[in-house]
Amino acid sequence: MKSVLVAAGVLAPLAAAHSIFQQAGSGSIDFGTSCTRMPPNNSPVTGVNSADLACNVGGSRGVDGLCEVNAGDSFFVEMHAQPNDRSCANEAIGGNHFGPVIVYMAKVDDAKTADGASASWFKVDEFGYDAGSKTWGTDTLNQNCGKRTFKIPSKIPAGDYLVRAEAIALHAAGSSGGAQFYMSCYQVRVANSGDGQVPAGVRLPGAYSASDPGILINIYGDFGTYQIPGPAVIDQSYF
């Protein structure tokens, strides 16, 4: 594994097989990284009780941009191994980093200043493991040029939200602390919403335990049905 070096605020060549959720978009609109709280490098978070589990290292600090969408719109998050490398010829996340992909949202007063570690997160999308096709959520990222597309719930109130995209790499998760969490938060403003309420949420950190069956797992053995960490996706009536 290559070491990660950061000098003068510039990313050096990053660790092999590690990745970052970087870009976002909605329909034909490509927001790039304008509303992304970009991590300083592509290294994972490994502690389920770390405040960095919310929005990654440095993710408590907001950026200037907002991604503006309407409730009910499609939205995509996009992962790649290296900064600004959106080549579909390169795997979004390689090195046998198999695991689920999960998307959360949190209603906040101001997406540019909100601290994800204090937010209430509700799950809007997930892909764990399909036993029939032997496909992991991370495989779907590689099949779709790093993209995971989901729907902004149509019934949530208008206002500011954080969107949290996460991939959990389980290749070394057979021992406690071996799971690798890759996440980024996006600052989003939702307009034209329905009349629903904000769904009940969970705290991150707080929702995961190091001993959860979807976190402490030997994926190279017979693990049966994979249990995706965290709460269930919110009720379909919100969509």
Side-chain angles (χ1 to χ4, degrees):
M1 190 66 68
K2 298 177 182 178
S3 62
V4 177
L5 299 177
V6 180
V10 178
L11 294 175
L14 300 183
H18 293 176
S19 291
I20 310 171
F21 276 106
Q22 303 180 46
Q23 295 82 11
S26 179
S28 62
I29 302 172
D30 190 334
F31 295 117
T33 60
S34 63
C35 69
T36 312
R37 297 185 179 185
M38 285 287 290
N41 55 54
N42 67 355
S43 294
V45 175
T46 57
V48 295
N49 296 315
S50 168
D52 294 334
L53 191 71
C55 292
N56 213 318
V57 176
S60 62
R61 298 186 297 275
V63 295
D64 290 337
L66 285 171
C67 292
E68 298 191 13
V69 297
N70 292 319
D73 283 353
S74 67
F75 193 88
F76 70 80
V77 292
E78 187 174 332
M79 170 175 266
H80 295 284
Q82 303 296 334
N84 301 312
D85 177 10
R86 303 179 78 175
S87 171
C88 299
N90 300 324
E91 286 188 315
I93 180 167
N96 296 324
H97 282 43
F98 303 119
V101 175
I102 305 169
V103 182
Y104 292 88
M105 294 180 67
K107 181 74 174 69
V108 295
D109 292 334
D110 185 343
K112 294 182 180 181
T113 61
D115 184 353
S118 302
S120 179
W121 297 96
F122 54 92
K123 188 184 287 185
V124 295
D125 184 60
E126 64 183 10
F127 189 111
Y129 179 70
D130 181 84
S133 60
K134 297 184 178 179
T135 299
W136 285 98
T138 49
D139 292 323
T140 70
L141 295 178
N142 291 330
Q143 294 162 4
N144 291 283
C145 198
K147 293 182 175 70
R148 180 70 189 178
T149 301
F150 63 97
K151 183 179 180 181
I152 301 291
S154 60
K155 299 293 180 63
I156 57 173
D160 282 13
Y161 289 81
L162 294 179
V163 170
R164 178 183 180 273
E166 173 182 46
I168 307 176
L170 302 173
H171 57 292
S175 59
S176 183
Q180 298 179 355
F181 301 84
Y182 298 88
M183 79 294 295
S184 293
C185 288
Y186 302 83
Q187 301 172 176
V188 175
R189 180 162 291 164
V190 176
N192 298 330
S193 69
D195 56 0
Q197 301 296 311
V198 178
V202 298
R203 291 296 180 91
L204 292 164
Y208 297 168
S209 167
S211 60
D212 285 347
I215 293 175
L216 180 60
I217 181 174
N218 176 11
I219 63 171
Y220 302 106
D222 182 8
F223 54 84
T225 301
Y226 177 71
Q227 298 182 42
I228 301 172
V233 172
I234 57 173
D235 190 83
Q236 286 301 303
S237 63
Y238 282 101
F239 293 95

